[in-house]
Amino acid sequence: MIMWTARDPLGPTPGASFADVHALIRAHLREAASALAERDVPAPEPEGKLIRPVVAYAMTPPDRRPELDDRFWFGALAIQMVHDASLLHDDILDGASERRGLPTVNHTAGVGPALALGDHYLTGAYRAALATGSAEFLRRFIVAVERTVAGEIRQASHVGSKVDLATYFEAILGKSGELLGAAACLGGALLEAEDLDERAALGRQMGALYQQVDDLLDYCAGAATGKEPLKDYRQRKWTWVLEIAGVESFDLSDGELLEVVFGTEAHGISAAERAVRALEIRADILLRRIRKLRLDASLIEQLLNGWLDQARLGVEAQLAQRSSIAAPAPAPDIATAALRREARALGGPEDWPAYFGRHARTFSLAAKLFPPADAMRISTLYAFCRFTDDLVDLPAANQSLARTRARLAAWGELARSAFEGQATRIPVLDQVMDDARGAGVPWTYPEALLRGAEMDLNGRRYRTWSELEVYTFCVAGSVGGWMTHLFGLRDPELLDRAHALGHAMQLTNILRDVGEDLERGRIYLPEVMLTKYGLSPAILRRARCEGAPLPELWPEAMEELMRRADEHYARARPGLRALPASLRRPAAVAAAAYRGIHGEVRRNGYDNLRLRAHTSLARKLGLGVLGLLGTEPFTSTQRITGATP
């Protein structure tokens, strides 16, 4: 039996972090999959976002989760198996060669084996659903699978035709909503709840919202969805985005279509921005209904906010790209020529390790543990990242914001050209992008870093922790993913852990630099945190610049920030343990030494508004040793996921 145990402290606890719940769910699904394997039923490795099992968990009342047993996880796995079967079939229909950064089954083994595996997952899912022992869930599950297929057929029947919104929503409530509807009532069915229809309806609406976000992102070239942008339009699939934008046909060119969707309308915003607002309203309505049922609204809110942040970021990136294209190109002597001179001043490969050592003492110390060739690649990557940051953080005296924007845009164009194999004659740029291209690093990582620099330039404020994590991914999580690819590691789970380490280190960076950032006019602390502790930019500036005492609840606020960072460090640790020794040791030392800044902030009496916390060389070495001891490699029977000692 897969019962809640002492290792599952999150079982009955509402408001747990999404990362921890996700790890818990993945572990239980793996156990359920192993149990099925003993019955000769193949189940996919639980990968990706696991949205349907997460919804099943969240839609079970927290106070009743201790009553759940292995039947719940068989039901959650059954739903996930149907979804994975549909992905296999989609890859066949689309002729896709890659999914989640890995080759597809149809690409590596052929259409026949991929089709057979998808069918086996689908039929095996019924056996998993039967193992729940709930006739009510089995009935709803069977209907959901049939309606999912019917929704796909319904949408396919409209290819090439404009449809009204009612027809569109009917299709997506089937193809994307039905499985989430079944997931939403899984726990309730096992616990014999009376509100199953309401839960199922909410699940279907969540599925429709997810599909709407996905359809919007299809028009955002920088959204990193893993699929070719504008694919729906090119395949003549009508979606709600076209209705919002007033598009009447499939005859527009790519440029004309993007202009209609992202161009400013008479009321001052674009159709894409109106679409984002519509999504926000729908999400708010869903949350209100979920709260009335006394379900785990905090977890659902994290899930929905993640979707909304994807939509916001995708639209923002596309709007920024459109603005840079629409704006008059800066004269070469103003932007590009000057950039070339400054970037060439970084010198060649023999100069970059010293540059690394001067500007990143903690990271360069850890990098000494890399083999020489790997250390050089890291030094090169650091030089590119540092130069990009300095374009925004250290603009020339009296340089206008417009010129800084032009320089950043020009740097982005040069980076893209180098990534595509065009020689820029800037040594650091040509080398770092040649390394990236050769290692299969996706362009989405350098693009995200450039987008993060643009966020700094715009002085963006963050309302929630979820919004802040969009930023921390851009400026740090993306670098973790980039480095992981550089070393030939592409396992999705390992990449997720690398992103987590980036989030953790950037939150520590925010903790250390909060006072200096304030002087630059930047506040990264999310508004929800400031409100919680009675803080405001004015209060922080008085303490920083006018000698006012630290706000009364400032230590509590900083402890929350450190706790958030620690959650990401904990999530990253299993990934460190899974690395080969040549990579594990420097990564563990860097993580431990950087996390040591938390202790320095505490020793400074939490006065990070006026004092910059830093660790001595001796302390860095001591922390590095502790980091190494805490990241011993896995044994042959251990996996990346699961509890860590």
Side-chain angles (χ1 to χ4, degrees):
M1 299 285 283
I2 310 171
M3 299 290 292
W4 294 115
T5 67
R7 71 180 179 83
D8 294 330
L10 298 178
T13 305
S17 77
F18 187 86
D20 286 336
V21 171
H22 191 273
L24 175 75
I25 289 171
R26 188 190 298 270
H28 277 296
L29 290 178
R30 279 185 165 147
E31 292 180 12
S34 296
L36 277 184
E38 294 175 1
R39 307 175 194 182
D40 296 324
V41 178
E45 179 72 11
E47 294 178 341
K49 301 172 184 176
L50 301 178
I51 290 171
R52 291 144 196 87
V54 168
V55 169
Y57 177 92
M59 297 290 277
T60 303
D63 60 344
R64 300 205 63 186
R65 287 180 191 152
E67 302 174 45
L68 299 175
D69 55 24
D70 56 350
R71 297 179 303 150
F72 176 83
W73 298 108
F74 279 125
L77 181 61
I79 295 168
Q80 184 64 26
M81 289 172 70
V82 174
H83 173 64
D84 282 351
S86 73
L87 297 183
L88 285 166
H89 291 165
D90 285 347
D91 289 341
I92 293 171
L93 292 173
D94 294 341
S97 60
E98 186 176 288
R99 180 178 288 277
R100 296 170 180 161
L102 298 173
T104 57
V105 176
N106 57 287
H107 181 68
T108 57
V111 170
L115 184 62
L117 182 60
D119 289 345
H120 207 167
Y121 283 168
L122 182 60
T123 54
Y126 286 100
R127 291 183 64 183
L130 184 63
T132 65
S134 169
E136 179 63 27
F137 171 71
L138 185 60
R139 180 184 69 81
R140 290 177 179 270
F141 174 78
I142 291 171
V143 171
V145 174
E146 186 278 324
R147 288 180 176 172
T148 299
V149 177
E152 290 279 7
I153 294 172
R154 185 176 295 111
Q155 186 174 63
S157 69
H158 297 305
V159 168
S161 304
K162 177 183 176 182
V163 299
D164 57 37
L165 285 178
T167 303
Y168 165 79
F169 278 108
E170 182 184 14
I172 66 170
L173 280 169
K175 64 169 277 190
S176 303
E178 287 293 338
L179 283 181
L180 275 171
C185 61
L186 169 59
L190 297 177
L191 298 172
E192 299 182 353
E194 297 179 353
D195 56 359
L196 295 185
D197 288 341
E198 176 67 8
R199 294 191 202 185
L202 289 172
R204 284 193 291 272
Q205 290 297 326
M206 288 179 64
L209 179 67
Y210 180 77
Q211 186 61 53
Q212 283 186 272
V213 171
D214 190 65
D215 289 344
L216 176 58
L217 291 176
D218 185 65
Y219 293 85
C220 304
T225 61
K227 66 178 184 179
E228 179 186 356
L230 303 183
K231 187 173 183 179
D232 288 344
Y233 188 80
R234 291 168 184 159
Q235 293 181 341
R236 303 173 71 81
K237 294 179 182 177
W238 196 268
T239 66
W240 75 295
V241 180
L242 301 179
E243 182 72 26
I244 290 283
V247 175
E248 296 292 332
S249 71
F250 293 103
D251 300 327
L252 299 179
S253 67
D254 290 356
E256 291 170 334
L257 178 62
L258 292 175
E259 180 61 29
V260 172
V261 174
F262 293 95
T264 302
E265 299 174 341
H267 33 56
I269 65 172
S270 65
E273 289 169 295
R274 287 195 291 116
V276 170
R277 291 185 182 181
L279 292 172
E280 291 171 340
I281 293 170
R282 290 202 59 170
D284 184 63
I285 293 171
L286 268 173
L287 280 173
R288 291 174 187 271
R289 292 174 61 187
I290 287 168
R291 290 190 180 101
K292 288 182 180 179
L293 292 180
R294 295 188 299 174
L295 300 173
D296 194 348
S298 63
L299 184 56
I300 294 294
E301 185 172 13
Q302 291 180 67
L303 187 65
L304 297 186
N305 279 338
W307 300 349
L308 293 177
D309 283 339
Q310 279 187 291
R312 295 184 190 110
L313 190 60
V315 169
E316 286 177 8
Q318 193 66 42
L319 288 171
Q321 182 180 7
R322 177 181 177 275
S323 298
S324 65
I325 293 173
D333 62 325
I334 293 178
T336 307
L339 273 175
R340 289 180 182 275
R341 288 195 301 272
E342 293 167 25
R344 287 181 187 134
L346 293 176
E350 67 280 2
D351 301 304
W352 301 330
Y355 180 76
F356 188 19
R358 285 196 306 274
H359 294 283
R361 292 187 177 90
T362 298
F363 292 136
S364 61
L365 175 68
K368 295 181 186 300
L369 297 174
F370 279 118
D374 291 336
M376 176 55 69
R377 285 193 289 179
I378 296 301
S379 297
T380 309
L381 175 57
Y382 176 82
F384 168 75
C385 294
R386 179 68 188 228
F387 187 83
T388 302
D389 286 343
D390 286 350
L391 286 176
V392 173
D393 292 343
L394 301 174
N398 301 319
Q399 180 171 292
S400 68
L401 182 60
R403 174 161 178 164
T404 304
R405 288 185 195 282
R407 284 164 57 82
L408 181 61
W411 183 242
E413 289 300 318
L414 287 168
R416 182 69 198 226
S417 296
F419 185 83
E420 292 174 350
Q422 301 176 34
T424 66
R425 291 182 293 176
I426 299 172
V428 69
L429 198 54
D430 289 338
Q431 185 62 57
V432 75
M433 292 306 169
D434 183 63
D435 287 346
R437 192 172 57 255
V441 176
W443 168 249
T444 49
Y445 285 139
E447 182 181 46
L449 184 73
L450 291 161
R451 192 183 308 158
E454 186 176 25
M455 289 177 176
D456 281 336
L457 189 60
N458 293 337
R460 178 173 171 177
R461 294 287 303 278
Y462 304 95
R463 294 178 298 169
T464 64
W465 290 104
S466 180
E467 285 189 11
L468 179 61
E469 286 194 359
V470 174
Y471 169 75
T472 58
F473 171 79
C474 285
V475 298
S478 63
V479 180
W482 189 337
M483 290 177 61
T484 304
H485 273 275
L486 274 181
F487 297 124
L489 303 170
R490 295 185 178 83
D491 176 74
E493 181 69 29
L494 199 57
L495 286 168
D496 183 58
R497 304 294 179 171
H499 298 160
L501 185 57
H503 285 302
M505 289 183 164
Q506 188 60 31
L507 289 175
T508 296
N509 195 54
I510 289 170
L511 170 78
R512 183 194 62 192
D513 296 341
V514 63
E516 294 177 10
D517 288 333
L518 195 63
E519 287 200 351
R520 291 192 181 116
R522 300 176 188 168
I523 298 178
Y524 295 102
L525 305 178
E527 292 173 4
V528 65
M529 177 187 184
L530 296 178
T531 301
K532 179 179 179 180
Y533 294 102
L535 303 170
S536 69
I539 291 174
L540 301 187
R541 290 190 186 96
R542 283 198 293 271
R544 167 75 180 181
C545 305
E546 300 174 18
L550 289 176
E552 181 180 357
L553 297 180
W554 184 249
E556 287 86 343
M558 293 302 95
E559 284 293 342
E560 179 173 346
L561 179 57
M562 287 186 272
R563 187 167 59 252
R564 296 270 180 173
D566 285 342
E567 289 177 357
H568 287 293
Y569 282 116
R571 177 157 180 75
R573 180 178 292 181
L576 295 177
R577 296 178 66 209
L579 293 172
S582 61
L583 308 181
R584 181 179 69 253
R585 290 166 183 156
V589 167
Y594 218 65
R595 189 182 180 194
I597 292 171
H598 296 190
E600 300 303 322
V601 168
R602 294 184 178 107
R603 273 185 280 277
N604 286 343
Y606 299 93
D607 192 0
N608 51 345
L609 283 170
R610 292 168 291 216
L611 302 175
R612 193 175 197 268
H614 67 277
T615 51
S616 66
L617 176 59
R619 183 155 181 79
K620 285 175 183 173
L621 292 173
L623 290 168
V625 171
L626 291 175
L628 288 174
L629 294 175
T631 52
E632 287 302 309
F634 286 119
T635 67
S636 60
T637 58
Q638 290 175 308
R639 291 172 171 167
I640 296 175
T641 55
T644 58

